[in-house]
Amino acid sequence: MAVSVAMRFHLVAGSGMLSISIGLNALSTHDACTAAFLALAAIIGFLLSSIRTLHRISWLAWLGLVCILSSIFVVTIAPRHFTWALMVCQGAVTAVYIAIGCMVYYFCGPYVATPALGSAGVTVKKIAYVLALPGLIAAITLVIHFVAKYTIVRILRGCKHLASNSAIHWGTWLSCTLGTTIIAFLIVSGIPVFGGLVSLIGALLGTLLSFQPMGCMWLYDKWTEGRRNPSLRWALMETFLMIGDTYGSVVGIIDSYKASGGSVPWSCADNSNSV
């Protein structure tokens, strides 16, 4: 499970880098190679995520909150409030998704871009990316930091260097942040299709982390038959869903490569539809 979380965050960091490159291409009207913008995003993510303690970069989370979207936090202070908190949180998130989706498709129709910030005119698109870039930088910073922190704790667990300022600690820490950044950069350079990459993250790892474990546990606890006679059929159903969705995402990425003017791995071509 921990490996799946780390894999997902690598992909999320890569999608954040891709979003930053799209934003920089839009702001500069493709004034430089897209690969250079991706490298710049990776360097920024590496430098900021290498700050060792989260409290020193916690302001990035607040910045990202303001710049990307106002999120709703519901704090569960007791078990009896869980159902209410879950309903409010999920209801609010669902309402926001529906409202934004309907509004974007109503005004843009079949011309919706990915990311959706590129759906408006040139001027509005640039303004949108100016506002979004700090949040995107915050996102990749926190994601890379999380994966690197998990990795260093696993490597130096039980060792005196884990909480020290020794050369071994710093060397290990910087290797973790650099390694995470490089992996994310390589992934997004090989799959420079924003919509396809996000779909792949959700299909392959979102299903694995969200549906399979929690769904199976809920069914086991709530269904009398499942509790008396445990069965693998529920896990197999979720696995089928994961495989089918992943296959569809991969096919979509391949089709994007084949399409005229589509995305190409390791390319300098504009990915923001600015030129």
Coordinates of all heavy atoms in Angstrom, one line a residue, residues 117-174:
L117 N -8.0 25.5 -17.7 CA -7.6 26.9 -17.6 C -7.3 27.5 -19.0 O -7.4 28.7 -19.2 CB -6.4 27.1 -16.7 CG -6.6 26.8 -15.2 CD1 -5.3 27.0 -14.5 CD2 -7.6 27.7 -14.6
G118 N -7.0 26.6 -19.9 CA -6.7 27.0 -21.3 C -7.9 27.1 -22.2 O -7.7 27.4 -23.4
S119 N -9.1 27.0 -21.6 CA -10.3 27.0 -22.5 C -10.7 28.4 -22.8 O -11.5 28.6 -23.8 CB -11.4 26.3 -21.7 OG -11.1 25.0 -21.4
A120 N -10.3 29.4 -22.0 CA -10.7 30.8 -22.3 C -9.8 31.4 -23.4 O -9.0 30.8 -23.9 CB -10.7 31.6 -21.0
G121 N -10.1 32.7 -23.6 CA -9.2 33.4 -24.6 C -7.8 33.5 -24.1 O -7.5 33.2 -23.0
V122 N -7.0 34.1 -25.0 CA -5.6 34.2 -24.7 C -5.3 35.0 -23.4 O -4.6 34.6 -22.5 CB -4.8 34.9 -25.9 CG1 -3.4 35.1 -25.5 CG2 -4.9 34.0 -27.1
T123 N -6.0 36.2 -23.3 CA -5.7 37.0 -22.1 C -6.2 36.4 -20.8 O -5.5 36.4 -19.8 CB -6.5 38.4 -22.3 OG1 -6.0 39.0 -23.5 CG2 -6.2 39.3 -21.1
V124 N -7.4 35.8 -20.9 CA -8.0 35.2 -19.7 C -7.1 34.0 -19.3 O -6.9 33.7 -18.1 CB -9.4 34.8 -19.9 CG1 -10.0 34.1 -18.7 CG2 -10.3 36.1 -20.2
K125 N -6.7 33.3 -20.3 CA -5.8 32.1 -20.0 C -4.6 32.5 -19.3 O -4.1 31.8 -18.3 CB -5.5 31.4 -21.3 CG -4.6 30.2 -21.1 CD -4.5 29.3 -22.4 CE -3.8 30.1 -23.5 NZ -3.6 29.2 -24.7
K126 N -3.9 33.6 -19.7 CA -2.7 34.0 -19.1 C -3.0 34.5 -17.6 O -2.2 34.2 -16.7 CB -2.1 35.1 -19.9 CG -1.5 34.7 -21.2 CD -0.8 35.8 -21.9 CE -0.2 35.3 -23.2 NZ 0.6 36.3 -24.0
I127 N -4.1 35.2 -17.4 CA -4.4 35.6 -16.1 C -4.6 34.4 -15.2 O -4.2 34.3 -14.0 CB -5.6 36.5 -16.1 CG1 -5.3 37.8 -16.8 CG2 -6.1 36.8 -14.7 CD1 -6.5 38.7 -17.0
A128 N -5.3 33.4 -15.7 CA -5.7 32.2 -14.9 C -4.4 31.5 -14.5 O -4.2 31.0 -13.4 CB -6.6 31.3 -15.7
Y129 N -3.4 31.4 -15.5 CA -2.2 30.7 -15.1 C -1.3 31.5 -14.2 O -0.6 30.9 -13.4 CB -1.4 30.3 -16.4 CG -1.9 29.0 -17.0 CD1 -2.5 29.0 -18.3 CD2 -1.8 27.8 -16.3 CE1 -3.0 27.8 -18.8 CE2 -2.2 26.6 -16.9 CZ -2.8 26.6 -18.1 OH -3.3 25.4 -18.6
V130 N -1.4 32.8 -14.3 CA -0.6 33.6 -13.3 C -1.1 33.3 -11.9 O -0.3 33.2 -10.9 CB -0.8 35.1 -13.6 CG1 -0.3 35.9 -12.5 CG2 0.0 35.4 -14.9
L131 N -2.4 33.2 -11.7 CA -3.0 32.9 -10.4 C -2.7 31.4 -10.0 O -2.6 31.1 -8.8 CB -4.5 33.1 -10.5 CG -4.9 34.6 -10.7 CD1 -6.4 34.7 -10.8 CD2 -4.5 35.5 -9.5
A132 N -2.7 30.5 -11.0 CA -2.6 29.1 -10.6 C -1.1 28.6 -10.4 O -0.9 27.7 -9.6 CB -3.2 28.3 -11.7
L133 N -0.1 29.3 -11.0 CA 1.2 28.8 -10.9 C 1.8 28.7 -9.5 O 2.4 27.7 -9.2 CB 2.2 29.7 -11.7 CG 2.2 29.4 -13.2 CD1 3.1 30.5 -14.0 CD2 2.7 28.0 -13.5
P134 N 1.5 29.7 -8.6 CA 2.0 29.5 -7.2 C 1.4 28.2 -6.6 O 2.1 27.5 -5.8 CB 1.5 30.7 -6.5 CG 1.4 31.8 -7.6 CD 0.9 31.0 -8.8
G135 N 0.1 28.0 -6.8 CA -0.5 26.8 -6.3 C 0.1 25.5 -6.9 O 0.2 24.5 -6.1
L136 N 0.4 25.5 -8.1 CA 1.0 24.3 -8.8 C 2.4 24.0 -8.2 O 2.7 22.9 -8.0 CB 1.0 24.5 -10.3 CG -0.3 24.6 -11.0 CD1 -0.1 25.0 -12.5 CD2 -1.1 23.3 -10.9
I137 N 3.1 25.1 -8.0 CA 4.5 24.9 -7.4 C 4.3 24.4 -6.0 O 5.1 23.5 -5.6 CB 5.2 26.3 -7.4 CG1 5.5 26.7 -8.9 CG2 6.5 26.2 -6.6 CD1 6.1 28.1 -9.0
A138 N 3.4 24.9 -5.2 CA 3.2 24.4 -3.9 C 2.8 22.9 -3.9 O 3.3 22.1 -3.1 CB 2.0 25.2 -3.2
A139 N 2.0 22.5 -4.9 CA 1.5 21.1 -5.0 C 2.7 20.2 -5.2 O 2.9 19.2 -4.5 CB 0.5 21.0 -6.1
I140 N 3.5 20.5 -6.2 CA 4.7 19.6 -6.5 C 5.7 19.6 -5.3 O 6.3 18.6 -5.0 CB 5.3 19.9 -7.8 CG1 6.0 21.3 -7.8 CG2 4.4 19.8 -9.0 CD1 6.9 21.5 -9.0
T141 N 5.8 20.7 -4.7 CA 6.8 20.8 -3.6 C 6.3 19.9 -2.4 O 7.1 19.1 -1.9 CB 6.9 22.2 -3.0 OG1 7.4 23.1 -4.1 CG2 7.8 22.3 -1.8
L142 N 5.1 20.0 -2.0 CA 4.6 19.1 -0.9 C 4.6 17.7 -1.3 O 4.9 16.8 -0.4 CB 3.2 19.6 -0.5 CG 3.1 21.1 0.0 CD1 1.7 21.5 0.3 CD2 3.9 21.2 1.3
V143 N 4.2 17.3 -2.5 CA 4.1 15.9 -2.9 C 5.5 15.3 -2.9 O 5.8 14.2 -2.4 CB 3.5 15.8 -4.3 CG1 3.6 14.4 -4.8 CG2 2.0 16.1 -4.2
I144 N 6.5 16.0 -3.5 CA 7.9 15.5 -3.6 C 8.4 15.4 -2.1 O 9.1 14.4 -1.8 CB 8.8 16.4 -4.4 CG1 8.3 16.4 -5.9 CG2 10.2 16.0 -4.3 CD1 9.1 17.4 -6.8
H145 N 8.1 16.4 -1.3 CA 8.6 16.3 0.1 C 8.1 15.1 0.8 O 8.8 14.5 1.6 CB 8.2 17.6 0.8 CG 8.7 17.7 2.2 ND1 9.9 18.3 2.5 CD2 8.2 17.3 3.3 CE1 10.1 18.3 3.8 NE2 9.0 17.6 4.4
F146 N 6.8 14.9 0.6 CA 6.2 13.7 1.3 C 6.8 12.4 1.0 O 7.2 11.6 1.8 CB 4.7 13.7 1.0 CG 3.9 12.5 1.6 CD1 3.4 12.6 2.9 CD2 3.8 11.4 0.9 CE1 2.8 11.5 3.5 CE2 3.1 10.3 1.4 CZ 2.6 10.3 2.7
V147 N 7.0 12.2 -0.3 CA 7.6 10.9 -0.8 C 9.0 10.8 -0.3 O 9.5 9.7 0.2 CB 7.6 10.8 -2.3 CG1 8.2 9.5 -2.8 CG2 6.1 10.8 -2.8
A148 N 9.8 11.9 -0.4 CA 11.2 11.9 0.1 C 11.3 11.6 1.6 O 12.1 10.9 2.1 CB 11.9 13.2 -0.3
K149 N 10.4 12.3 2.4 CA 10.4 12.1 3.8 C 10.1 10.6 4.2 O 10.7 10.0 5.1 CB 9.3 13.0 4.4 CG 9.3 13.0 6.0 CD 10.7 13.4 6.6 CE 11.0 14.8 6.3 NZ 10.2 15.8 7.1
Y150 N 9.1 10.0 3.5 CA 8.8 8.6 3.7 C 10.0 7.7 3.4 O 10.3 6.8 4.2 CB 7.6 8.2 2.9 CG 7.4 6.7 2.9 CD1 6.8 6.0 4.0 CD2 7.8 5.9 1.8 CE1 6.6 4.7 4.0 CE2 7.6 4.5 1.8 CZ 7.0 3.9 2.9 OH 6.8 2.6 2.9
T151 N 10.7 8.0 2.3 CA 11.8 7.2 1.9 C 13.0 7.3 2.9 O 13.6 6.3 3.2 CB 12.3 7.7 0.5 OG1 11.2 7.6 -0.4 CG2 13.4 6.8 0.0
I152 N 13.3 8.5 3.3 CA 14.4 8.7 4.2 C 14.1 8.0 5.6 O 15.1 7.5 6.2 CB 14.8 10.2 4.4 CG1 16.2 10.3 5.1 CG2 13.8 10.9 5.2 CD1 16.7 11.7 5.2
V153 N 12.9 8.1 6.0 CA 12.5 7.4 7.3 C 12.7 5.9 7.1 O 13.2 5.2 8.1 CB 11.1 7.8 7.7 CG1 10.7 6.9 8.9 CG2 11.0 9.3 8.1
R154 N 12.3 5.4 6.0 CA 12.5 3.9 5.8 C 14.0 3.6 5.7 O 14.4 2.5 6.2 CB 11.8 3.5 4.5 CG 10.3 3.7 4.5 CD 9.6 2.7 5.4 NE 9.7 1.4 4.8 CZ 9.1 0.3 5.4 NH1 8.4 0.5 6.5 NH2 9.2 -0.9 4.9
I155 N 14.8 4.4 5.1 CA 16.2 4.1 4.9 C 17.0 4.2 6.2 O 17.8 3.4 6.6 CB 16.8 5.0 3.9 CG1 16.2 4.7 2.5 CG2 18.4 4.8 3.8 CD1 16.7 5.7 1.4
L156 N 16.8 5.3 7.0 CA 17.5 5.6 8.2 C 16.8 5.3 9.5 O 17.2 5.7 10.6 CB 17.9 7.1 8.2 CG 18.8 7.6 7.1 CD1 19.1 9.1 7.2 CD2 20.1 6.8 7.0
R157 N 15.7 4.5 9.4 CA 15.0 4.1 10.6 C 15.9 3.4 11.6 O 16.6 2.4 11.2 CB 13.8 3.3 10.2 CG 12.9 2.9 11.4 CD 11.7 2.1 10.9 NE 12.0 1.0 10.1 CZ 11.1 0.2 9.5 NH1 9.8 0.5 9.6 NH2 11.5 -0.9 8.8
G158 N 15.8 3.8 12.8 CA 16.7 3.2 13.9 C 18.1 3.6 13.9 O 18.9 3.1 14.6
C159 N 18.4 4.6 13.0 CA 19.8 5.1 12.9 C 19.9 6.5 13.5 O 19.0 7.3 13.4 CB 20.2 5.1 11.4 SG 21.9 5.8 11.1
K160 N 21.1 6.8 14.1 CA 21.2 8.1 14.7 C 21.2 9.2 13.7 O 21.0 10.4 14.1 CB 22.6 8.1 15.5 CG 23.8 8.0 14.6 CD 25.1 8.1 15.4 CE 26.3 8.0 14.5 NZ 27.6 8.1 15.3
H161 N 21.5 8.9 12.4 CA 21.5 10.0 11.4 C 20.2 10.5 11.0 O 20.1 11.4 10.3 CB 22.3 9.4 10.2 CG 23.7 9.1 10.5 ND1 24.7 10.0 10.7 CD2 24.3 7.9 10.5 CE1 25.8 9.4 10.9 NE2 25.7 8.1 10.8
L162 N 19.1 9.8 11.4 CA 17.8 10.1 11.0 C 17.4 11.6 11.4 O 16.8 12.3 10.6 CB 16.7 9.1 11.5 CG 15.3 9.4 11.2 CD1 15.1 9.4 9.6 CD2 14.3 8.4 11.8
A163 N 17.7 11.9 12.6 CA 17.3 13.2 13.1 C 18.5 14.1 13.4 O 18.5 15.1 14.2 CB 16.5 13.1 14.4
S164 N 19.6 13.9 12.7 CA 20.8 14.7 13.0 C 21.1 15.6 11.7 O 20.5 15.5 10.7 CB 22.0 13.8 13.2 OG 22.4 13.0 12.0
N165 N 22.2 16.4 11.9 CA 22.6 17.2 10.8 C 23.9 16.7 10.1 O 24.7 17.5 9.6 CB 22.8 18.7 11.3 CG 21.5 19.4 11.4 OD1 20.6 19.3 10.6 ND2 21.4 20.1 12.5
S166 N 24.1 15.4 10.2 CA 25.3 14.8 9.7 C 25.3 14.8 8.2 O 24.3 15.0 7.5 CB 25.4 13.4 10.2 OG 24.4 12.6 9.7
A167 N 26.5 14.6 7.6 CA 26.6 14.5 6.2 C 25.8 13.4 5.6 O 25.3 13.5 4.5 CB 28.1 14.4 5.8
I168 N 25.8 12.3 6.3 CA 25.0 11.1 5.9 C 23.5 11.5 5.8 O 22.9 11.1 4.8 CB 25.2 9.9 6.8 CG1 26.7 9.4 6.7 CG2 24.3 8.8 6.5 CD1 27.0 8.3 7.6
H169 N 23.0 12.2 6.8 CA 21.6 12.6 6.7 C 21.3 13.5 5.5 O 20.4 13.2 4.8 CB 21.2 13.3 8.0 CG 19.8 13.8 8.0 ND1 18.8 13.1 8.4 CD2 19.4 15.0 7.5 CE1 17.7 13.9 8.3 NE2 18.0 15.0 7.7
W170 N 22.1 14.5 5.4 CA 21.9 15.4 4.3 C 22.1 14.8 2.9 O 21.3 15.1 2.0 CB 22.8 16.7 4.4 CG 22.2 17.7 5.3 CD1 22.6 18.0 6.6 CD2 21.2 18.6 5.0 NE1 21.9 19.0 7.2 CE2 21.0 19.4 6.2 CE3 20.4 18.8 3.9 CZ2 20.0 20.4 6.3 CZ3 19.4 19.8 4.0 CH2 19.2 20.5 5.1
G171 N 23.1 13.9 2.8 CA 23.3 13.2 1.6 C 22.1 12.3 1.2 O 21.6 12.3 0.1
T172 N 21.6 11.6 2.2 CA 20.4 10.7 2.0 C 19.2 11.6 1.7 O 18.4 11.2 0.8 CB 20.2 9.9 3.2 OG1 21.4 9.2 3.6 CG2 19.1 8.9 3.0
W173 N 19.0 12.6 2.4 CA 17.8 13.5 2.2 C 17.8 14.1 0.8 O 16.8 14.0 0.1 CB 17.7 14.6 3.3 CG 16.7 15.6 3.0 CD1 16.9 16.9 2.8 CD2 15.3 15.4 3.0 NE1 15.7 17.6 2.6 CE2 14.7 16.7 2.7 CE3 14.5 14.3 3.1 CZ2 13.3 16.9 2.6 CZ3 13.1 14.5 2.9 CH2 12.5 15.7 2.7
L174 N 18.9 14.7 0.4 CA 19.0 15.3 -0.9 C 18.9 14.2 -2.0 O 18.3 14.5 -3.1 CB 20.2 16.1 -1.1 CG 20.3 17.3 -0.2 CD1 21.7 18.0 -0.3 CD2 19.2 18.3 -0.5

